[in-house]
Amino acid sequence: MPFRPRYTGLIDKYRDRLPVHDDTRIISLGEGNTPLIRLHNIPSKLSKDVEIYVKYEGLNPTGSFKDRGMTMAVTKAVEEGSKAIICASTGNTSAAAAAYAARAGITAFVLIPDGKIALGKLAQAMMHGAVVIQIKGNFDAGMQLVKEVAKEAPVTIVNSINPYRLQGQKTAAFEIVEELGRAPDFHCLPVGNAGNITAHWIGYCEYSSASGEMVTGACAYCEGHCKFAGGAIVGNRPRMLGYQAAGSAPFMRGEMVDDPETVATAIRIGHPQSWDMAWKVKEESGGWFDECTDDEILAAQKLLAESEGVFCEPASATSLAGALKDIESGKIPQGSSIVCTLTGHGLKDPDTAIKQSSAPLTTVEAELSAVKAAILENMAD
Ligand code: AN7
């Protein structure tokens, strides 16, 4: 039987497009290469005929897209001699930083908003041995503190203001183009700091011939860290659609939000770090921002889990919630192909999932008759 080469992570796969050297020690957990799942049951109930795919980033090693950026950021931190990394986080970045630091044998310091991160993410940071500092403030306050601390202590910031993060994350766009043979018409993402929407745009631009300015010149987003392959591979780029939670939607308000609030704690961010770049992405791609209420976000999360078998965390469902609204309103036209990024796994936040679950838990005696009765009662017609 022929063997396929072992998949060893996205840096090895996209080495020629990433800022690494032949002798760089790669810190990897086999991230990337996530499934692009075509939805069947949800589109069949819509009034318009569209193709919807979800890019299930929850299947990365620590359960979120952050691993794509973290493999690059930690690889470069180690290469540059750093012994410690630091981040502020709504949860997923801290989980990824903790895991990749463990893998590299360095220390991770993570600042998280006290009581406002999902339980799975806290468990990860603790298990991987990060120094977890809970602050009595939100992500934005934590980010400010991290920037100040890093000026005085020998620690490398691994939030998405670290340009290597976006370099790693752009590979998600590469994978999508390679599987579809073209870019989708629309790419929908949840937006917090807006690093990921920017990273995807960098990836699509590198893969596109339509963007003469990006393929030939210095990249406007990455301070020269990316390497342009130079070859035109596909001719189209998607419109980038960024969706925010209504209580935490600075891009909709047109200004920073001081007290962001949403059930989708991953995107409870009022002062996005990639503010200017994200506006540029919207303009260049012909996309838009919109917002979804917490109810719409949770409904989309449940719909996806119940009707497609895909479990993502609340923040991730914002991409689908937004897409469904825009399909119904006609902003996304009939016949479009759409990719929604599901940024994190549903198991990250079991509390929210159980709280909103409608399926009743039935407890019966451990006897055949009782179990049979329970089954008959719940049998679909
Ligand atoms: C599941 O972990 O910012 O717009 O500190 O965890 O690139 O910020 C998380 C962000 C979307 C938003 N979905 O991405 C953190 C953090 C999930 C996330 C986002 C996050 P960006």
Side-chain angles (χ1 to χ4, degrees), residues 92-133:
N92 280 324
T93 302
S94 66
Y100 284 81
R103 181 78 165 163
I106 61 174
T107 305
F109 296 99
V110 306
L111 272 70
I112 55 172
D114 186 17
K116 289 286 188 179
I117 82 166
L119 214 55
K121 305 173 188 180
L122 182 62
Q124 289 177 292
M126 293 172 74
M127 273 306 273
H128 291 304
V131 179
V132 179
I133 303 167

Side-chain angles (χ1 to χ4, degrees), residues 18-334:
L18 292 168
V20 286
H21 308 288
D22 288 346
D23 60 353
T24 302
R25 178 185 158 214
I26 307 297
I27 311 298
S28 169
L29 292 166
E31 56 295 310
N33 198 22
T34 56
L36 184 65
I37 304 168
R38 180 154 179 195
L39 301 188
H40 294 302
N41 301 323
I42 294 174
S44 72
K45 293 191 198 103
L46 300 176
S47 59
K48 312 260 169 43
D49 191 15
V50 288
E51 264 176 44
I52 309 178
Y53 299 84
V54 292
K55 180 75 168 156
Y56 196 13
E57 291 287 276
L59 291 194
N60 274 297
T62 78
S64 87
F65 73 97
K66 303 285 182 181
D67 295 343
R68 289 183 188 272
M70 207 54 73
T71 184
M72 262 317 307
V74 174
T75 290
K76 293 307 280 188
V78 168
E79 182 171 68
E80 288 158 13
S82 185
K83 297 278 185 287
I85 57 174
I86 189 167
C87 65
S89 180
T90 57
N92 280 324
T93 302
S94 66
Y100 284 81
R103 181 78 165 163
I106 61 174
T107 305
F109 296 99
V110 306
L111 272 70
I112 55 172
D114 186 17
K116 289 286 188 179
I117 82 166
L119 214 55
K121 305 173 188 180
L122 182 62
Q124 289 177 292
M126 293 172 74
M127 273 306 273
H128 291 304
V131 179
V132 179
I133 303 167
Q134 302 201 66
I135 60 159
K136 295 178 180 169
N138 60 23
F139 168 86
D140 304 304
M143 191 65 241
Q144 191 52 41
L145 288 163
V146 162
K147 287 180 183 170
E148 286 167 25
V149 164
K151 280 188 210 147
E152 297 176 19
V155 290
T156 303
I157 299 179
V158 294
N159 282 102
S160 55
I161 57 172
N162 177 328
Y164 298 122
R165 277 276 312 274
L166 301 195
Q167 285 300 300
Q169 287 169 217
K170 75 182 179 184
T171 60
F174 294 169
E175 291 175 13
I176 291 165
V177 171
E178 284 162 14
E179 273 192 56
L180 297 180
R182 66 190 292 277
D185 299 317
F186 294 90
H187 190 129
C188 307
L189 287 137
V191 168
N193 277 305
N196 209 25
I197 195 168
T198 305
H200 277 77
W201 185 240
I202 294 171
Y204 283 121
C205 289
E206 280 188 44
Y207 238 128
S208 143
S209 65
S211 62
E213 84 277 16
M214 296 289 294
V215 186
T216 54
C219 171
Y221 299 93
C222 69
E223 301 164 10
H225 289 288
C226 64
K227 292 178 187 165
F228 297 104
I233 296 165
V234 292
N236 71 315
R237 296 181 296 182
R239 290 173 174 232
M240 304 299 293
L241 310 186
Y243 298 107
Q244 299 214 280
S248 181
F251 286 102
M252 294 308 294
R253 307 285 101 79
E255 59 184 15
M256 301 297 170
V257 169
D258 284 336
D259 293 305
E261 210 43 83
T262 168
V263 69
T265 51
I267 50 172
R268 188 170 166 270
I269 294 169
H271 290 239
Q273 297 298 309
S274 296
W275 178 257
D276 293 340
M277 289 198 285
W279 283 110
K280 201 155 162 319
V281 169
K282 170 194 165 293
E283 288 305 320
E284 282 183 3
S285 76
W288 59 80
F289 295 115
D290 209 337
E291 61 193 306
C292 302
T293 65
D294 280 3
D295 284 349
E296 288 169 335
I297 292 169
L298 293 178
Q301 184 197 18
K302 193 136 202 292
L303 180 70
L304 197 53
E306 281 189 347
S307 57
E308 301 280 3
V310 178
F311 189 19
C312 68
E313 67 171 285
S316 308
T318 310
S319 59
L320 181 67
L324 293 177
K325 274 210 294 200
D326 284 337
I327 292 164
E328 289 302 337
S329 77
K331 277 178 91 177
I332 296 178
Q334 171 100 359

Side-chain angles (χ1 to χ4, degrees), residues 320-350:
L320 181 67
L324 293 177
K325 274 210 294 200
D326 284 337
I327 292 164
E328 289 302 337
S329 77
K331 277 178 91 177
I332 296 178
Q334 171 100 359
S336 298
S337 66
I338 303 150
V339 170
C340 295
T341 298
L342 301 180
T343 42
H345 202 289
L347 291 173
K348 292 271 190 175
D349 191 354

